[in-house]
Amino acid sequence: MLTLALSLLTGVILWFALNALWPGHPVWNSVLGVLGFMGVIVLINLLMRKRLEAIFKDVQTSIMDTQERLKRKITMMQNKMQGGPKLQAMIEKEQAESIRETIKILDRVAPLKKWNVLAARQADTLRGQLLFQIKDFEAADPFLDKALVLEPLTLAMQMTRWYKRGKMDDVSKAFKKGVKRFKDEKATLIYALYSWILLAEGRQDEAVVVLDEGKTKTENETLKQNWDHLVNNRPKRFSNAGLGEQWYALYLEQPKAQIVRSQAAFGGPGMGGRRSR
């Protein structure tokens, strides 16, 4: 890593220079050498963070521009009484094309990874999220597998893809880590997703236990209702629809009354879609 190498070199040069110019003070010279080492690290990290923020801002701007353009098109088409599956398919196609162009912006992160070890991982996490949102799941999987999980939706995307690929051990481990990391209402989506998966796998009793814990910790009405349905043996009434867009963003189910809509803003849920492996 160039940051560490340059910082170490700076510290060593500073230490030798101080000892030559100010002999007889080894302790202070060492302290100043360490401060020089740390100062270079801080300076480089600040510069790299600004460059990363600029790149991610460009990504966000591109997505928001696409969103606004598609919203205008949807409104125009609906005003002309045109809609339905054909319009939905057209919007999804245009959206996917725009997102793929947006993803290319992340290529600008490549030169920074020599200076910041997390730069590439941050970019790859966002790349995985965007590919997931346009339903290019196979392309998203390698990035999501190693994603930097900073919020529940990213973890939910990981769990969804591991479930679809039959990796239930990974799903269970992710759930346990997730509910420890995300507290209170932030864990709602994680509890809802895992209980849905357990029910889909025919593990209703385990889903009841998960929902019992989830409804207590999050006080979410959807979790409470689903727990009530399962303990009273009404699994067909189980529904995470109450979570809205954040649930449909996982593409495990689609709304009963599907509405044509454009890609959600950066970091948010995407369009509803069919279940697909």
Side-chain angles (χ1 to χ4, degrees):
M1 181 181 173
L2 290 181
T3 299
L4 184 60
L6 183 59
S7 301
L8 183 60
L9 180 61
T10 300
V12 171
I13 291 175
L14 182 60
W15 183 82
F16 276 109
L18 288 171
N19 275 297
L21 297 172
W22 196 24
H25 299 84
V27 175
W28 280 109
N29 291 344
S30 297
V31 170
L32 292 173
V34 171
L35 290 176
F37 166 79
M38 295 176 63
V40 172
I41 289 180
V42 171
L43 178 60
I44 291 176
N45 283 337
L46 285 174
L47 292 173
M48 292 303 103
R49 186 169 68 179
K50 286 185 177 181
R51 291 187 63 180
L52 278 173
E53 287 175 349
I55 293 171
F56 292 146
K57 185 177 180 180
D58 287 346
V59 171
Q60 183 175 6
T61 299
S62 177
I63 292 174
M64 292 179 69
D65 288 345
T66 297
Q67 183 183 19
E68 290 303 315
R69 176 172 56 81
L70 292 178
K71 280 183 178 179
R72 289 194 297 269
K73 176 170 285 191
I74 291 170
T75 300
M76 181 182 68
M77 298 294 285
Q78 289 178 337
N79 286 340
K80 294 180 179 180
M81 304 302 290
Q82 298 180 23
K86 288 186 178 180
L87 176 58
Q88 180 72 30
M90 181 186 71
I91 294 300
E92 287 186 355
K93 181 181 178 181
E94 290 190 24
Q95 178 176 265
E97 291 172 352
S98 296
I99 292 298
R100 290 188 190 282
E101 288 300 313
T102 297
I103 288 174
K104 293 179 181 179
I105 297 174
L106 293 172
D107 292 341
R108 289 158 45 191
V109 174
L112 305 184
K113 65 183 181 181
K114 296 181 292 185
W115 299 95
N116 187 323
V117 292
L118 290 179
R121 193 175 177 191
Q122 287 177 293
D124 285 347
T125 297
L126 180 53
R127 199 186 305 269
Q129 291 173 331
L130 294 175
L131 288 168
F132 184 100
Q133 288 181 347
I134 61 174
K135 305 179 190 177
D136 191 349
F137 300 119
E138 289 187 5
D141 286 342
F143 301 113
L144 289 177
D145 284 346
K146 299 179 180 180
L148 189 64
V149 178
L150 299 177
E151 36 77 37
L153 183 58
T154 302
L155 180 61
M157 288 179 177
Q158 282 185 330
M159 291 172 63
T160 298
R161 291 306 303 152
W162 287 333
Y163 163 65
K164 290 294 186 178
R165 291 149 66 192
K167 297 184 176 183
M168 281 302 298
D169 287 343
D170 290 333
V171 172
S172 298
K173 290 177 183 177
F175 166 74
K176 292 175 182 177
K177 290 181 180 179
V179 295
K180 288 181 180 179
R181 180 171 186 177
F182 301 111
K183 305 298 183 181
D184 304 323
E185 69 277 1
K186 291 183 179 180
T188 299
L189 181 61
I190 307 304
Y191 279 109
L193 171 60
Y194 192 51
S195 60
W196 185 95
I197 290 173
L198 290 174
L199 188 60
E201 291 287 292
R203 297 158 62 180
Q204 182 171 326
D205 291 343
E206 294 176 62
V208 169
V209 174
V210 168
L211 288 169
D212 186 48
E213 178 183 302
K215 70 182 179 66
T216 301
K217 290 187 176 181
T218 68
E219 298 184 354
N220 180 268
E221 287 301 319
T222 296
L223 298 185
K224 291 178 181 179
Q225 290 173 8
N226 283 336
W227 174 84
D228 184 66
H229 290 320
L230 294 189
V231 295
N232 288 290
N233 202 29
R234 299 191 299 262
K236 291 185 178 180
R237 294 190 182 183
F238 181 102
S239 174
N240 284 328
L243 300 182
E245 286 291 328
Q246 64 174 334
W247 170 247
Y248 294 119
L250 300 178
Y251 302 122
L252 291 168
E253 295 178 327
Q254 65 180 25
K256 290 182 179 179
Q258 190 169 2
I259 300 173
V260 178
R261 57 196 186 278
S262 62
Q263 178 76 38
F266 170 79
M271 299 171 64
R274 298 176 181 175
R275 296 180 62 178
S276 58
R277 287 186 181 267

